[in-house]
Amino acid sequence: MNRIKEAQENLKNEFKLYNDAATNKLPELEINSPEKLEALLESVTRRESLNHSKKKPPATKLKSALADNLLLLDNFDIKKAKEAGKAEC
């Protein structure tokens, strides 16, 4: 599935960008483990809500990439669903 490889590459890039900007590094990325991805998403969300400093890393794109990968691992492609919804309009 080409779409999942694309999403995984995006996640790897966003993870690296986030970690490069973060003071406290995230744990190692386990891209094929839904449980680890969910835990990572929760961790990033918690960090974002607790961190009120001006030098916070870009969490929005990382959270989006994590969610996209979790949906793809669950055999749901949000991009296809959006395109199908637009086609119906």
Side-chain angles (χ1 to χ4, degrees), residues 4 23 52 57 68 73 79 83:
I4 196 157
T23 306
H52 298 292
D68 191 27
L73 288 172
K79 282 189 176 182
E83 288 172 5

Side-chain angles (χ1 to χ4, degrees), residues 56-84:
K56 60 183 174 184
T60 304
K61 289 183 179 181
L62 176 59
K63 292 188 324 181
S64 176
L66 284 163
D68 191 27
N69 275 270
L70 283 166
L71 289 170
L72 287 167
L73 288 172
D74 201 28
N75 295 318
F76 181 78
D77 189 344
I78 192 76
K79 282 189 176 182
K80 282 186 181 177
K82 285 182 181 179
E83 288 172 5

Side-chain angles (χ1 to χ4, degrees), residues 2-18 29 31 60-69 72 79:
N2 192 28
R3 172 77 172 92
I4 196 157
K5 293 206 183 296
E6 172 190 316
Q8 287 174 337
E9 282 304 311
N10 182 44
L11 175 55
K12 288 176 190 175
N13 292 334
E14 293 302 328
F15 181 83
K16 182 180 179 336
L17 288 172
Y18 183 93
L29 182 62
I31 208 140
T60 304
K61 289 183 179 181
L62 176 59
K63 292 188 324 181
S64 176
L66 284 163
D68 191 27
N69 275 270
L72 287 167
K79 282 189 176 182

Side-chain angles (χ1 to χ4, degrees), residues 14-55:
E14 293 302 328
F15 181 83
K16 182 180 179 336
L17 288 172
Y18 183 93
N19 249 358
D20 288 348
T23 306
N24 297 325
K25 304 300 180 205
L26 294 170
E28 186 176 331
L29 182 62
E30 294 183 39
I31 208 140
N32 291 313
S33 171
E35 295 81 16
K36 297 287 184 175
L37 292 177
E38 285 179 27
L40 187 59
L41 179 57
E42 288 178 27
S43 175
V44 171
T45 301
R46 247 183 276 116
R47 282 186 183 194
E48 185 180 41
S49 68
L50 295 174
N51 187 359
H52 298 292
S53 70
K54 293 180 181 178
K55 287 188 74 178

